[in-house]
Amino acid sequence: MIRKKQILFLIFIMAAVLLTSCGQKEDAGSLAVDENISASLTYDHRMQLDYAKEFAVDYYNDGLALITISDGSRFLVVPPKEEAPDDLDSDIVVLKQPVDHIYLVASATMDMFRALDALDAISLSGTKKDGWYIDEARQAMDNGSILYAGKYSAPDYEQILDTGCNLSIQSTMIYHSPEIKENLEKFGVPVLVDHSSYETHPLGRTEWVKLYGVLEGKEDVAEQVFAEQKDAVAEASDGENTGKTVAFFYITSNGSVNVRKSGDYVPKMIELAGGNYIFSDLGADTDASSSVNMQMEEFYASAKESDYLIYNSTIDGEIHSISELLAKAPVLKDFKAVQAGNVWCTTKNLYQESMSVGAMLEDIHAIFSGSQEDGTYLYKLQS
């Protein structure tokens, strides 16, 4: 009798484990769906996302949409003629449309608002005019429709409040200054932290345009511009691997080397363009940061035989000759790519123009094909 009970107990445990594992597999990488955020709202459906994993959008009756970010924050977007329910969880932030007078600090999102034809929703910038490489953003700051309100770590609270700001879109840099986020929220300014840089696929980063399409009531436009980027990536990715290896990096002020982790979207772009990122297993998948610093000795050992070097100018600034590169790190003279003259640099606008992933892939693919011509986002360093 005891043995029979033991067998039944084991069967029960195995069945429970199997059911649990199936559930975990089905929901892997997705954000939880809460269908009952209010007694007065009826759940409809979840937005289909092809690549993005760091946000989700759930739709309810009367056009209300719940945005969930991977950091756990939730925002209920309410159409102009509707009202937010009174029984929402206290952590859900209500954003009543039109969502405008935005204080935009996450610079990679400006291109998404440009693509949506929604720059008029942005009133304040965390980047000065001369820091923008998007023409429309510079023009808006020239004519005063977008004003500088301080960088993420030193916002001009008085200006932000006087402007009637009803949303701040921050990059993950705000996590280094959590008191700033707390102050903005204390003053009644909701803070949405853009996690697009944490996406592992370049189109996942671009797909965040759909989130901003929800904010601005332009979902159809967002779908269209994202589809255009999907087509551009498909055209630039011919499926053939050239076998060429690439190191993507920059030299920090203290002489270490900053490189992208293997799961980042930049190595994925290199792969889609037909190359192999030299660091095939760098960085833990559970660590959200996209890059890591390593000592020059380690970089030397791993990347010396790379076929191509691509210098990332978005942080350190552009360089134009191999001699400038060697001035930062003389030891690079031993590298195969340096000796062959296969050293390229990104333009400064690469990071900001988040809606041009197809063009970037074309540039990378071109250098694998032996092109000597400068591209839209890559140019060759002079020997």
Side-chain angles (χ1 to χ4, degrees):
M1 183 69 178
I2 294 177
R3 181 170 178 77
K4 184 177 179 181
K5 288 182 178 179
Q6 289 174 329
I7 293 172
L8 289 172
F9 177 74
L10 286 172
I11 291 173
F12 172 78
I13 293 296
M14 290 174 68
V17 169
L18 182 60
L19 286 172
T20 302
S21 349
C22 289
Q24 288 175 341
K25 183 177 181 181
E26 183 178 80
D27 295 334
S30 64
L31 297 170
V33 178
D34 187 352
E35 298 186 7
N36 302 301
I37 62 172
S38 168
S40 63
L41 292 181
T42 303
Y43 181 79
D44 193 301
H45 70 284
R46 170 161 284 195
M47 174 187 284
Q48 179 180 337
L49 296 173
D50 297 334
Y51 298 94
K53 304 294 183 186
E54 298 291 326
F55 80 92
V57 179
D58 293 299
Y59 289 94
Y60 300 80
N61 59 290
D62 298 325
L64 278 72
L66 183 71
I67 294 172
T68 303
I69 311 292
S70 57
D71 63 0
S73 57
R74 296 190 291 173
F75 302 85
L76 185 66
V77 182
V78 181
K81 295 182 180 180
E82 302 296 333
E83 295 297 330
D86 295 327
D87 58 346
L88 295 171
D89 291 342
S90 60
D91 70 298
I92 296 178
V93 178
V94 175
L95 297 176
K96 186 72 180 286
Q97 290 177 324
V99 181
D100 53 13
H101 296 90
I102 293 171
Y103 169 40
L104 188 144
V105 181
S107 58
T109 66
M110 181 68 83
D111 201 33
M112 299 182 189
F113 278 85
R114 181 202 57 77
L116 292 169
D117 192 23
L119 285 185
D120 57 350
I122 300 168
S123 296
L124 302 170
S125 167
T127 301
K128 293 181 179 179
K129 185 185 75 171
D130 59 5
W132 283 113
Y133 303 102
I134 297 172
D135 289 341
E136 292 87 342
R138 293 175 69 97
Q139 291 165 7
M141 297 195 77
D142 261 337
N143 64 35
S145 59
I146 297 179
L147 303 174
Y148 178 63
K151 61 181 182 178
Y152 79 94
S153 58
D156 185 337
Y157 293 114
E158 184 176 355
Q159 184 179 23
I160 292 168
L161 296 178
D162 286 347
T163 307
C165 176
N166 56 29
L167 178 66
S168 176
I169 300 175
Q170 298 276 342
S171 74
T172 54
M173 291 295 290
I174 195 67
Y175 294 140
H176 297 295
S177 300
E179 71 282 0
I180 302 298
K181 182 175 183 292
E182 292 171 7
N183 287 339
L184 287 168
E185 292 171 339
K186 181 177 69 176
F187 293 140
V189 179
V191 177
L192 187 155
V193 182
D194 180 278
H195 283 64
S196 62
S197 63
Y198 287 176
E199 297 289 354
T200 59
H201 194 287
L203 282 171
R205 179 176 180 244
T206 302
E207 199 163 18
W208 274 69
V209 71
K210 295 182 181 179
L211 182 153
Y212 300 112
V214 172
L215 286 183
E216 300 306 320
K218 294 192 172 190
E219 287 99 328
D220 291 345
V221 180
E223 289 286 351
Q224 178 183 341
V225 296
F226 178 69
E228 291 170 359
Q229 284 304 303
K230 280 180 65 177
D231 291 343
V233 168
E235 186 175 343
S237 309
D238 59 14
E240 290 186 14
N241 188 289
T242 63
K244 302 295 185 180
T245 53
V246 182
F248 186 94
F249 71 103
Y250 72 86
I251 308 297
T252 69
S253 57
N254 64 9
S256 63
V257 186
N258 182 275
V259 298
R260 296 285 181 155
K261 292 184 177 179
S262 306
D264 179 61
Y265 71 89
V266 172
K268 186 64 177 179
M269 279 201 293
I270 292 170
E271 176 190 331
L272 289 170
N276 299 311
Y277 185 55
I278 196 66
F279 301 103
S280 59
D281 191 22
L282 180 65
D285 293 338
T286 54
D287 188 347
S289 62
S290 60
S291 63
V292 63
N293 288 341
M294 62 172 56
Q295 294 303 310
M296 179 58 74
E297 293 80 2
E298 184 181 359
F299 181 72
Y300 183 98
S302 301
K304 181 184 176 185
E305 297 302 316
S306 297
D307 295 303
Y308 295 92
L309 297 182
I310 298 178
Y311 194 78
N312 179 13
S313 73
T314 55
I315 303 296
D316 187 46
E318 293 185 7
I319 58 176
H320 297 278
S321 67
I322 290 179
S323 60
E324 285 183 72
L325 177 63
L326 296 182
K328 294 176 178 290
V331 71
L332 294 178
K333 70 180 186 300
D334 297 334
F335 278 49
K336 174 183 175 181
V338 171
Q339 294 176 358
N342 289 326
V343 186
W344 297 72
C345 185
T346 67
T347 57
K348 281 188 175 182
N349 56 335
L350 169 64
Y351 181 75
Q352 288 185 6
E353 296 189 7
S354 53
M355 297 303 295
S356 299
V357 62
M360 180 59 182
L361 279 175
E362 289 177 0
D363 284 0
I364 300 175
H365 187 273
I367 68 173
F368 294 153
S369 303
S371 173
Q372 301 295 314
E373 301 293 329
D374 292 346
T376 305
Y377 298 107
L378 287 177
Y379 60 89
K380 194 170 187 178
L381 296 191
Q382 300 172 3
S383 300

